[in-house]
């Protein structure tokens, strides 16, 4: 990647891939807020959290964090956002994802009442292989080609930028996270089954890690599992705290 990173890059430590059933077996316990009394009064002034995304993966990460949140979807043309000379495939992935995450925040920010603090979380992610950004696959053959490229020595690399905006104070913080997933050879029939399910066609880089069909073919991982899913958890928690009060 380019050394000209727009903000700090947080890298997870290398470790073996976590059980691919993590999100399907982890149910966060949540308690509702008190309806009256001094605790309720304090909580009424605390910032609420809004996830500016309809992504299934990002919602799974927020659920796993155990925070209360609502969702809104920004209406922007992500493909229209470019950096450098405008060639997305050759763009700096950190700069591109940050620019898109900031554009998502700008598109949603005016929808909030400035008298009530809201922590707005927006994010974007791309997949990089062999120095080029990979978009969502167009067909089954492209999914198979992508999976054939990812091996035990040549990983799929995800670059995810997160922006947290305090809509009352105007404070905005951001960061970028990088993770790598290595794969064992994935059989053609598994790829066909994934395409039939449909979810993989909406995944940048044409790969997925949280489907049971892929579990046996996951090799080692560098960085956070959640970052590969679409929202780096440690980075998001830190930015929420910096922007105004979520721990």
């Amino acid at each position: 990647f380019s050394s000209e990173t727009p903000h700090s890059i947080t890298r997870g430590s290398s470790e073996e891939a976590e059980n691919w059933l993590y999100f399907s077996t982890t149910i966060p316990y949540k308690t509702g807020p008190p309806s009256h009394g001094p605790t309720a009064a304090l909580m009424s002034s605390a910032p609420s959290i809004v996830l500016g995304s309809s992504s299934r993966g990002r919602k799974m990460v927020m659920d796993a964090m155990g925070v209360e949140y609502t969702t809104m979807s920004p209406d922007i043309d992500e493909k229209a956002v470019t950096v450098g000379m405008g060639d997305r495939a050759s763009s700096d992935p950190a700069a591109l994802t940050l620019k898109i995450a900031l554009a998502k925040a700008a598109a949603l920010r005016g929808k909030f009442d400035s008298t009530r603090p809201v922590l707005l979380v927006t994010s974007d992610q791309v997949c990089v292989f062999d120095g080029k950004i990979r978009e969502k696959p167009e067909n089954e053959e492209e999914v198979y080609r992508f999976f054939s490229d990812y091996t035990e020595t040549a990983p799929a690399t995800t670059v995810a930028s997160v922006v947290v905006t305090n809509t009352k104070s105007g404070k905005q913080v951001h960061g970028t996270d990088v993770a790598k997933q290595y794969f064992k050879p994935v059989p053609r029939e598994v790829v066909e089954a994934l395409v039939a399910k449909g979810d993989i066609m909406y995944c940048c880089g044409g790969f997925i890690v949280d489907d049971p069909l892929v579990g046996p073919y996951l090799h080692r991982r560098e960085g956070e599992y959640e970052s590969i899913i679409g929202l780096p958890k440690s980075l998001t928690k830190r930015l929420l705290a910096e922007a105004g009060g979520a721990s």
Side-chain angles (χ1 to χ4, degrees), residues 134-152:
R134 285 186 163 177
E135 306 286 356
K136 298 170 184 176
E138 295 183 356
N139 50 52
E140 179 180 320
E141 286 303 318
E142 194 159 46
V143 175
Y144 186 71
R145 178 171 66 83
F146 285 175
F147 260 122
S148 297
D149 288 339
Y150 309 141
T151 67
E152 296 179 9

Side-chain angles (χ1 to χ4, degrees), residues 221-237:
R221 188 193 70 251
E222 298 175 9
E224 280 191 355
Y225 182 83
E226 295 87 350
S227 190
I228 295 173
I229 291 294
L231 187 68
K233 184 170 70 172
S234 297
L235 174 61
T236 302
K237 290 177 71 174

Side-chain angles (χ1 to χ4, degrees), residues 98-213:
L98 176 57
K99 191 172 182 179
I100 294 175
L102 288 167
K104 291 177 180 179
L108 291 173
R109 190 168 177 177
K111 300 181 182 295
F112 299 99
D113 179 358
S114 61
T115 63
R116 177 97 165 77
V118 172
L119 298 180
L120 173 62
V121 180
T122 53
S123 179
D124 190 66
Q125 179 198 57
V126 296
C127 174
V128 179
F129 182 80
D130 196 24
K132 298 289 185 180
I133 291 176
R134 285 186 163 177
E135 306 286 356
K136 298 170 184 176
E138 295 183 356
N139 50 52
E140 179 180 320
E141 286 303 318
E142 194 159 46
V143 175
Y144 186 71
R145 178 171 66 83
F146 285 175
F147 260 122
S148 297
D149 288 339
Y150 309 141
T151 67
E152 296 179 9
T153 57
T157 299
T158 60
V159 180
S161 289
V162 181
V163 174
V164 178
T165 306
N166 187 315
T167 62
K168 183 177 181 180
S169 70
K171 184 176 183 179
Q172 191 171 66
V173 293
H174 51 78
T176 300
D177 191 75
V178 177
K180 298 180 180 183
Q181 179 65 59
Y182 297 79
F183 287 89
K184 302 172 186 177
V186 180
R188 180 62 181 251
E189 57 269 24
V190 172
V191 174
E192 292 173 352
L194 289 169
V195 171
K197 282 187 172 185
D199 286 347
I200 199 167
M201 304 305 294
Y202 300 95
C203 298
C204 62
F207 78 97
I208 196 168
V209 296
D210 62 334
D211 189 294
L213 289 173

